[in-house]
Structures are given as C-alpha cells and as structure tokens.
Amino acid sequence: MATTSRDYYEILGVPRDVDADELKKAYRRLAMQYHPDKNPGNPDAEARFKEVGEAYSVLSDPSKRRSYDLYGHARGGIPDMGFSFDSAFDLFDMFFGGSARGRRGGAERGSDIRVNLDLTFHEAVFGVEKVIELNRSDPCGECGGSGAAAGSSPVTCNQCQGAGQVRQVVQSVFGQMMNVTTCPRCKGQGTLVEKPCQVCNGQGLVAGHTTITVRIPAGVDETMALPVPGEGEAAPRGGQRGDLIVGFRVKKHPHLVRRGTDLVYELPVTIPQAVLGDTITIPTVDGEYQLTVPPGTQHGKTITIAGHGVPDVRSGRRGNQVCVVRLVVPSSLTAEERSLYEKLGGRDGQPAHVRKGFFDQLRDAFKG
C-alpha cells in the first residue's frame, strides 16, 4: 500500500519523461544516501529511504507507472501499487547485492496481456463499458495448477530448502551483507515436480477463454493504457495472475480535434457574419450549441466555450471547446453580390490595414 502522497517524480528528483536508466541512477543515489545501515537509529533517514523505495517500485514498473501517470495516488478502482517497507530493501538488494533482510521465494507471476480497444470519439470523452473476450492460460483442472500428477505433490527443492533463493555472505561498502539470488534448480519456485501431470505436462496451465467487462474512464486517449489487475495469464503452480493492459484506438471526430482536455473547432464564418455578427449553430460533444459571433470578428480569432471539452481522467474537470474563426471568401459571385462589393471600392493597391473604415463600408453595403 502506498504510504506517501508526495509526487513520486519529485521524491526521486527526476522529470516525468525520465527514462529507465536515469530513473535507476536517481534511485541508487538516494537509496545509498538514506539506507538505514548508513544511518543507524535515524528515523528520518529510514522514512526517506522508505519513500524513495516506494517511488521507485512504482515508476520502475511500466504497468504501475502508466497507472500512476494516469490516476496519480487516487486509486478509483485502480489496483494498489503493492509497496511495503520490505520492498524498499528488496529493491536495494537488487542493485547493491542484498542486505540482512532476505526475500522469500514463491511462485512466479503470470504474464500481462495487452489488448487495444477501438473507441468512438464520444466513448473516449465520456467513458464506456466494454466487453473483452480473452484467450489466456488458466490453472489446470486436473492437477489444480500444481503441475503434479494425480496422487502426487510437488516436493521441496533440496538446494534452497523451499526458499526459492540461495544466499551468500559478501563484503560491501556497508560491511558484511547477504547476497540473495534465485535458486537455479527450482527457478525460484521453492518446489520441484517429480511426477508431472499428463494433462498440462507439468506446467500447471491449460488454454482457456473468458469474457470480462471493463469500465473505461472518461477522458482517455491513445497515449494512455488502463491496467486491469489479475486478468492476465495464469501463473504456474498457483502464482499470481498477470494483469490485462488495455490500450486505445480512438476514431477521429468529423469536426473536432482534441488537444489535451481542450477541443478545437474550426468555425467557418462568411464575411457578412464576421462584419455584422451572428448566432451560429455549431457541433460540440454535448450536442448542438448556439455560438454568438460578435460584430467585427477577425479571421483567426478564438471564441472559447468553457466546460465543453474533455474530462481530465484524474480530476474529472472538463476542458474547453476553442472555436477558431476561419473567414470564408466566396470563390464566385452573383451579379448583385459583385455590385455590392464594387460599391465598397478599396481596390486601390493598398494593404487592407491602411484603408480607413473598410468594415464600416462593408457593413453599410450589406445593410443597403
């Protein structure tokens, strides 16, 4: 369970786009600085070491990092990050050769399954429930996932005595420490199958099929991925299932373009509408909207409709719809229209901004 509400990137002093190598370097430096063996009896250093380990345990795991980037510390149905104080020492052991705190062996975790869902633009904005069919491995019904034939059971590994790890005392900068490695005989399982199950050939797994319903939160986009805990591949011999990682392909909207939580709409406006003003019916994700275009509106002007954008997946706060005015100049004119434009004059070889009263003239011409 997470023990801090501070930003993990801030704790490790790294930017949000940090790569794995720089993340590891930052963790090693801080873990070395605050390790309890270097700060005996210092509760502040121990707390800091715990905080650093928690941050790295999340950000170093691609699935957990995506979940954290998407949802922050607020779980909202997202799985617990699975951090404990012991895991801080486990991480340190991984890089610095072990400590007096050993790790217990156990069954391996199942693999993650990655799928991409096709979403409409509206579904991505407002969220949706999707049914997903998965072909995945399941525990063998014959042996109960143990991998052992009927009437037999896995036996304790005689090399690691069931720990799944072998240990060796080594010298380090902190003095004598314990180096812990995965047992090469049982591959970290702690047990061995002497009589394999004939159905699953000792693997403890068989092919399976399932259907699950996933709630897609409002505001997702194609850069995000949603982890669904415990819905991945089964693990041999009763280990924890992997996760289902759901990515997204979002269909484009015919009129709106997403920019973060804002939506951009190119608003075509005729010259009379720009000069005289108008109330124009435009599309939004919430339906049609009556937008007021003020008189004298210039090409490229933006008109913002607050709160009609995309919800932020973490806060739920909606962005805006930004309407960018595009002045539409007619490519052909009727005789009457041409006569009105001729009355305006202005074809004097001068730039439009030099002429005085151009829009006043145009307004008067259209008013008759």
Side-chain angles (χ1 to χ4, degrees), residues 80-281:
D80 188 275
M81 295 298 184
F83 177 81
S84 67
F85 187 32
D86 285 341
S87 67
F89 285 90
D90 293 343
L91 285 166
F92 192 82
D93 294 347
M94 184 189 307
F95 296 114
F96 300 103
S99 72
R101 293 173 179 257
R103 290 172 292 168
R104 300 181 64 186
E108 65 185 89
R109 179 179 179 276
S111 299
D112 292 339
I113 299 175
R114 299 176 185 273
V115 299
N116 283 322
L117 288 182
D118 291 311
L119 302 179
T120 66
F121 197 86
H122 189 275
E123 288 172 339
V125 170
F126 293 107
V128 68
E129 282 191 351
K130 287 286 188 178
V131 176
I132 302 176
E133 293 191 4
L134 294 176
N135 293 317
R136 65 182 188 185
S137 56
D138 286 326
C140 175
E142 177 70 17
C143 64
S146 71
S152 68
S153 300
V155 298
T156 301
C157 174
N158 56 14
Q159 183 165 344
C160 66
Q161 305 305 313
Q165 301 168 330
V166 291
R167 302 166 181 244
Q168 181 181 12
V169 176
V170 295
Q171 292 297 127
S172 75
V173 293
F174 301 120
Q176 195 174 69
M177 300 183 74
M178 187 73 70
N179 184 31
V180 183
T181 59
T182 300
C183 175
R185 180 167 172 76
C186 67
K187 304 297 189 294
Q189 297 290 326
T191 58
L192 298 170
V193 175
E194 294 183 329
K195 297 180 179 180
C197 170
Q198 297 302 304
V199 174
C200 63
N201 295 318
Q203 298 301 309
L205 302 175
V206 293
H209 179 84
T210 191
T211 300
I212 64 172
T213 301
V214 177
R215 176 65 192 175
I216 309 302
V220 299
D221 64 29
E222 293 184 341
T223 68
M224 301 175 183
L226 175 67
V228 183
E231 294 293 351
E233 302 284 5
R237 306 183 194 180
Q240 180 184 1
R241 272 193 182 273
D243 296 338
L244 171 65
I245 309 298
V246 182
F248 310 107
R249 290 187 295 257
V250 181
K251 186 177 180 180
K252 294 184 182 301
H253 192 279
H255 305 294
L256 304 174
V257 177
R258 182 170 175 177
R259 294 288 183 266
T261 59
D262 288 340
L263 295 173
V264 179
Y265 172 64
E266 189 178 78
L267 174 61
V269 174
T270 65
I271 292 177
Q273 287 174 318
V275 174
L276 304 176
D278 198 2
T279 298
I280 303 175
T281 302

Side-chain angles (χ1 to χ4, degrees), residues 39-50:
N39 302 272
N42 186 338
D44 291 338
E46 184 170 303
R48 188 79 173 90
F49 179 77
K50 177 181 178 181

